[in-house]
Amino acid sequence: MPETNENNAPLDFIREIVANDLRNNKNDGKVVTRFPPEPNGYLHIGHAKAICLDFGVAAENGGVCHLRFDDTNPTKEDTEYVESIINDVKWLGFDFGEHLYYASDYFERMYECAVTLIRKGLAYVCDLSPEQWEEYRGTLNVPGKESPGRARSVEENLDLFTRMRNGEFEDGAMVLRARIDMASPNIHMRDPVIYRIRRVHHFRHGDKWCVYPMYDFAHPLEDAFEGVTHSFCTLEFEIHRPLYDWVLQALEFKNPPVQTEFSRLNLTYTVMSKRKLLQLVKEHYVAGWDDPRMPTICGMRRRGIPASAIRKLCRTVGITKFEALTDIALLEHCVREELNATAPRFLAVLDPLKVTITNYPAEGVEPLDAVNNPEDPAAGSRKLPFGRELYIEKSDFMLEPVKGYFRLAPGREVRLRYGYFIKCEEAVLDEAGNVVELKCTFDPATRGGSAPDGRKVKGTIHWVSADSAVPAEVRLYERLFTVEQPGADGTNFLEQLNPDSIRIVKALVEPKLAELPAGTSVQFERNGYYCVDPDSKPGAPVFSRTVTLKDSWGNKQGK
Ligand code: ATP
Ligand code: MG
């Protein structure tokens, strides 16, 4: 475990910065952070890392974290995304209280800030053609050239900018640029565009605006307007920070917010780009944003991954400045740790083989006691109906057992979980030689799982009784991609989709499993963790596999 601070949060360089600011009573000891998603897609597990940091740092320091929709680029934005994002942030366990904001609500103030820059001689209207733009921009090694617009008077700039807003010019005919330094080695400082003309419909403000602020101008203003003290973002914005600071300084904000960058979360076997996720949905490679194979928060929720496991992953990965690729096995490990403690156990047979207990009365039904969760005594117990006809897993029987196989075989005895010892007397084969049924006997003295004469059995297998079992659809999910870094070697990521990422089986499950509400996480004993899917109907449950029981993370760590 990483070192933790007095709030039991892991110590990282960002938390150290915040602690230091507090020691110096910077911002009068206030901590205000924000999570600023663009409402152009669903949140994914990468966003969860940012959410855990933004909300975590605020909560640990008695501060607040704002949820702010960065809706300044209206072409791809939509209320569908707004709603899902609000829902997902709450589900992850974070509270923004009344601090829900929309960047677009600041458009008027942003416009005024642009006017202030013009008045200060720090912004000008530029009407270079696209071809000229190329020519004037320069390259990494060659300084750019000054646009003729730079020579415009304040009055002319004010007039043109007003007319841009009033819709007198075509889209793209001119832009407003900050007047900084065309020779700067940082391209973002070479008189960046801060406003452009775009006749696009905004999902909240309709056609009110035809000029829109650029991200690099809008973002520092949004932070400053809201009194944000610490603005955390991912590493790709490091090179934009000089511009962030320039905007706030040029507009003379007191106690301006400070931007600090950290590295993104990347997971093996996962794509995290919104564009690629959208493509998977739109082109029906998955069933939707909440397909349980998706790395979206709603997909993970549907798959049965608890919010606590996502938070645990983020905490374990920590906050650094190093680009890293996190093994998805670590997420699966966190999921198992959480579900092991909380998920009740049930018996489910995924690939049923009929068993008849020949010495058990035909009409007999016997409720056996089954423990709901050995990890949680408070979870209690339930009754499991036992009878003459049962189903066991096909793989729990071998006609000719190999060495080291301790389950059922002709003449062998095993323990039925929560039940009796049974012995296989005969395997019934069909014409093709497949085992279709087992005739077994049970030993009434072994009720509860042990023999009074002290004889031992090596295998314990799960089962359901034929009378009581409920047919269920079980969706067995595997990783969505076959390679660790889809698309990384220049291959189209779609060619690396795993064709076996979903397999559907018809299972038989114990009756209690058919009574659980959608979203309930359970363990199928000896098999894995599953979640009741919303596609379930009364008497016809559907389960999604969250993870198998086998933990590859511990092995990899040499534990
Ligand atoms: P876009 O390319 O559309 O900007 P984005 O992934 O940056 O995609 P935003 O909605 O802008 O999406 O992200 C909101 C916040 O989440 C940003 O502060 C961003 O830095 C952070 N974030 C996005 N992806 C990750 C990731 N993989 N790891 C950590 N933080 C992330
Ligand atoms: Mg972004």
Side-chain angles (χ1 to χ4, degrees):
M1 270 320 260
E3 266 192 275
T4 54
N5 65 16
E6 60 276 16
N7 295 312
N8 201 29
L11 261 196
D12 54 56
F13 80 98
I14 286 194
R15 285 175 167 90
E16 276 173 17
I17 290 172
V18 174
N20 199 43
D21 289 347
L22 286 175
R23 268 194 296 278
N24 295 328
N25 203 33
K26 199 178 169 197
N27 305 304
D28 301 325
K30 276 201 310 245
V31 174
V32 181
T33 59
R34 87 290 172 264
F35 173 63
E38 193 180 331
N40 63 353
Y42 281 67
L43 294 184
H44 54 60
I45 185 148
H47 293 117
K49 177 174 179 176
I51 292 171
C52 288
L53 177 68
D54 296 329
F55 282 91
V57 165
E60 290 153 26
N61 294 291
V64 292
C65 179
H66 300 178
L67 175 60
R68 180 205 310 143
F69 288 103
D70 206 335
D71 56 348
T72 54
N73 180 17
T75 47
K76 297 183 216 145
E77 296 165 358
D78 198 275
T79 36
E80 173 196 349
Y81 301 128
V82 168
E83 279 155 25
S84 76
I85 290 170
I86 290 176
N87 191 26
D88 289 351
V89 169
K90 288 184 179 165
W91 178 78
L92 276 171
F94 298 105
D95 184 12
F96 44 86
E98 75 254 34
H99 299 288
L100 175 64
Y101 303 109
Y102 293 85
S104 61
D105 288 347
Y106 311 135
F107 278 164
E108 196 64 54
R109 286 170 83 183
M110 291 176 183
Y111 180 86
E112 280 159 24
C113 287
V115 169
T116 304
L117 288 185
I118 295 174
R119 285 195 204 286
K120 291 179 112 181
L122 292 175
Y124 63 93
V125 172
C126 170
D127 54 0
L128 289 180
S129 68
E131 300 77 47
Q132 287 172 313
W133 192 267
E134 284 295 310
E135 179 197 333
Y136 277 70
R137 190 173 50 184
T139 66
L140 275 183
N141 306 314
V142 180
K145 285 199 290 182
E146 299 196 346
S147 157
R150 253 190 175 242
R152 288 204 167 96
S153 68
V154 168
E155 287 65 36
E156 193 184 351
N157 281 318
L158 284 175
D159 174 60
L160 285 173
F161 191 49
T162 311
R163 290 165 60 198
M164 277 171 66
R165 175 185 181 160
N166 292 343
E168 290 185 31
F169 307 111
E170 297 286 296
D171 283 18
M174 53 190 72
V175 293
L176 187 71
R177 296 175 74 172
R179 183 196 191 99
I180 308 180
D181 178 8
M182 284 310 289
S184 172
N186 181 342
I187 299 236
H188 300 282
M189 296 297 274
R190 292 187 189 168
D191 291 10
V193 175
I194 58 175
Y195 261 92
R196 58 184 165 171
I197 309 173
R198 291 187 100 185
R199 283 178 179 75
V200 282
H201 189 80
H202 191 280
F203 74 103
R204 298 187 75 241
H205 300 278
D207 299 315
K208 177 167 180 213
W209 292 89
C210 67
V211 288
Y212 286 98
M214 301 298 287
Y215 177 89
D216 280 339
F217 179 63
H219 204 83
L221 293 180
E222 295 156 21
D223 285 346
F225 293 160
E226 291 178 13
V228 165
T229 56
H230 298 82
S231 181
F232 308 130
C233 60
T234 36
L235 283 181
E236 69 273 20
F237 291 104
E238 192 160 23
I239 192 161
H240 299 250
R241 184 170 7 115
L243 180 51
Y244 182 99
D245 292 339
W246 182 92
V247 169
L248 296 176
Q249 213 190 341
L251 290 160
E252 298 173 49
F253 281 95
K254 301 279 170 278
N255 296 321
V258 174
Q259 172 182 305
T260 309
E261 309 85 14
F262 63 97
S263 60
R264 306 190 147 244
L265 178 72
N266 300 300
L267 277 184
T268 55
Y269 300 98
T270 308
V271 296
M272 220 97 87
S273 135
K274 281 193 211 163
R275 185 181 57 76
K276 289 179 178 168
L277 295 177
L278 183 69
Q279 192 176 359
L280 290 174
V281 173
K282 288 264 139 75
E283 297 176 15
H284 306 291
Y285 291 101
V286 293
W289 286 103
D290 70 343
D291 186 301
R293 292 165 293 179
M294 290 283 274
T296 49
I297 302 299
C298 56
M300 294 193 161
R301 177 166 60 234
R302 182 159 180 181
R303 188 162 176 153
I305 292 178
S308 55
I310 297 177
R311 295 195 302 265
K312 185 177 258 177
L313 173 81
C314 293
R315 186 188 162 100
T316 308
V317 169
I319 299 292
T320 69
K321 279 217 180 250
F322 306 107
E323 285 293 355
L325 181 62
T326 298
D327 192 331
I328 195 159
L330 176 61
L331 169 65
E332 293 162 354
H333 172 75
C334 293
V335 171
R336 287 186 190 97
E337 274 197 341
E338 291 297 305
L339 292 180
N340 179 47
T342 56
R345 274 59 168 168
F346 291 96
L347 303 190
V349 175
L350 270 56
D351 190 11
L353 172 64
K354 188 173 172 191
V355 171
T356 304
I357 312 285
T358 53
N359 60 340
Y360 196 85
E363 54 295 330
V365 177
E366 191 181 343
L368 299 173
D369 283 317
V371 176
N372 287 338
N373 186 352
E375 301 287 324
D376 177 11
S381 65
R382 68 187 185 286
K383 297 291 181 197
L384 199 57
F386 183 78
R388 181 182 161 92
E389 287 190 354
L390 312 174
Y391 286 95
I392 64 166
E393 215 65 73
K394 265 195 193 124
S395 58
D396 282 335
F397 175 80
M398 274 186 110
L399 202 50
E400 290 162 20
V402 294
K403 196 162 169 278
Y405 187 84
F406 297 120
R407 290 166 272 165
L408 211 50
R412 283 244 194 116
E413 195 172 41
V414 293
R415 178 188 295 109
L416 292 180
R417 184 78 164 136
Y418 305 118
Y420 298 94
F421 287 9
I422 59 165
K423 186 171 171 194
C424 177
E425 309 289 351
E426 183 196 347
V428 182
L429 309 187
D430 65 7
E431 281 165 12
N434 302 311
V435 181
V436 290
E437 187 187 341
L438 303 178
K439 306 262 191 219
C440 297
T441 52
F442 86 116
D443 177 355
T446 56
R447 193 177 204 267
S450 60
D453 64 6
R455 78 181 188 280
K456 301 274 183 248
V457 288
K458 280 200 169 150
T460 301
I461 64 173
H462 61 274
W463 54 277
V464 292
S465 82
D467 279 345
S468 68
V470 178
E473 175 176 319
V474 178
R475 300 172 182 170
L476 301 170
Y477 293 109
E478 298 285 344
R479 288 165 186 169
L480 188 51
F481 293 94
T482 53
V483 296
E484 284 202 349
Q485 298 187 65
D489 58 358
T491 316
N492 181 348
F493 76 108
L494 296 172
E495 286 167 23
Q496 295 169 327
L497 278 164
N498 178 4
D500 302 317
S501 62
I502 177 170
R503 189 161 62 88
I504 296 178
V505 298
K506 297 282 172 215
L508 289 170
V509 304
E510 64 164 283
K512 279 267 184 282
L513 277 173
E515 297 167 12
L516 303 172
T520 310
S521 281
V522 295
Q523 186 193 96
F524 290 176
E525 287 204 30
R526 300 180 62 226
N527 187 297
Y529 293 101
Y530 289 79
C531 186
V532 183
D533 193 86
D535 285 348
S536 298
K537 303 263 168 346
V542 178
F543 295 92
S544 294
R545 181 166 71 197
T546 313
V547 275
T548 58
L549 291 181
K550 217 170 113 221
D551 197 330
S552 57
W553 179 253
N555 299 340
K556 280 189 193 166
Q557 306 308 299
K559 282 183 209 145

